[in-house]
Structures are given as structure tokens and as C-alpha cells.
Amino acid sequence: MNSIRRLSLAAALAAAAFSPSARAVTISASVAMPPLNFTNIQFTETNPTFYNYVGTTPTVPLALDFSAQNFSQIQSLDAISITLSFYNLDTNLGGPDYNNITLALGGIDTGILLNGYGNAGDTFTFNAAPANGAAILSALNTNGGILSIGLFDATASPSNPFWFNGGTASLDLTDSTTPTPVPFTPADSLGLGLVAVGIIVARLRRKSAAVAAA
């Protein structure tokens, strides 16, 4: 009977060695932005979605493509990191649109202020928890892993012109509140295996001591 118990214990610990641990899930995408071209003037009040251009004609939306990744694993959007480059966005301290411009994803306001851009070319990375995370994730899933990118301006006037400044817009979406299970590493499994051996050896020693005392 004791042998059966020891084997059962060892089997349970071995199963635990392959049980899931957990970690945050992050997916990433990027898209090339139009180069600086002063004929492609933009206005902050009218850009919930950015477009690429042929000459001065807008063509397709500038979209971030997560379709080749496990985007459905993101169930709670609690953090994003995005890098963007603009010319003359004027959201630096004292600028006309300081605290007015926020990031849009999928046409939805994230509430993330894009402050810091002056009246020349600047590139910044923003790390924040977005507002409207559930709506953004719904847009992501509805569009098959595609998110458009744009901005909202809280002021209807005066119009604030800006230009794209080239480079690459990159976006990370992170879910750390409903993490995806992942297997233990071999080191984890080895550690649990050693624990199992230790327990069995201890039980055998106690049994031997009891027999000797009798």
C-alpha cells in the first residue's frame, strides 16, 4: 500500500511539472508611415483614421496588422506601447494643441495624449493603459486582427495642420490581467521532480526508523 501511495505521489508531482504557469501576452505590429511631403497637409480635427497617399490623394487606411498572431488571446487590453513620428503637430508644452490630441485605434479614442511634438519633426514612444480597451479589442477581432491608426482633436477650431514625418509606426498590445497558460520550463520540472524524490526518501526513512524501533 505504501508503495502505491509513493507512486501516486510521484505521478501527481510529475503531472504538476507539466501543468501551466502564466505570463502576460503581448502582440506587436508596425506600418510604414508616409514620408514628409508638404503637399500632403493633414488637419488634426479630421483624422480618426490615417491614410496613405498617392501624390495628394488619400488611398488605403494606415493599418496595423496583427492577423498572423494570436490576437484573440488578448482579452483585456491593459497596456499599449506605440511609436509615432509627426511634423508640426504642436502638442508640446505651450503649443496650440497641448493636451488636446489623443491616439485613435480602430477609429476609437484611446484617451492617450500625444503630447511633446513641436513645430518640426519629432518621434516619441507612448506607454499607457488605454481607455475603451474593450471597444478596441472588439474592433481588432471584428476586423480580423487589423487596427487602423489615427488621432482625435478635442478642439474643433482653429484648424491645426500637420504632416506625416515618415518612419515606422509600431504598436504593442499587452494583456497581463488574463494571461495565457504556458508550460513549466525544464528547470521548473526538474525542481518539482527533486521535491518528489525528497518526499519519498523522507517517507522511507521514517518507515525504516519505525521498524528499527520495533
Side-chain angles (χ1 to χ4, degrees), residues 5-40:
R5 288 177 180 172
R6 288 196 295 272
L7 288 173
S8 298
L9 177 62
L13 287 169
F18 294 97
S19 65
S21 179
R23 67 181 176 193
V25 177
T26 298
I27 58 176
S28 304
S30 60
V31 61
M33 299 291 282
L36 180 62
N37 181 342
F38 289 112
T39 65
N40 293 340

Side-chain angles (χ1 to χ4, degrees), residues 89-109:
L89 195 61
D90 286 333
T91 60
N92 55 333
L93 184 62
D97 263 323
Y98 179 72
N99 275 347
N100 288 335
I101 308 298
T102 52
L103 173 70
L105 293 175
I108 299 160
D109 192 0

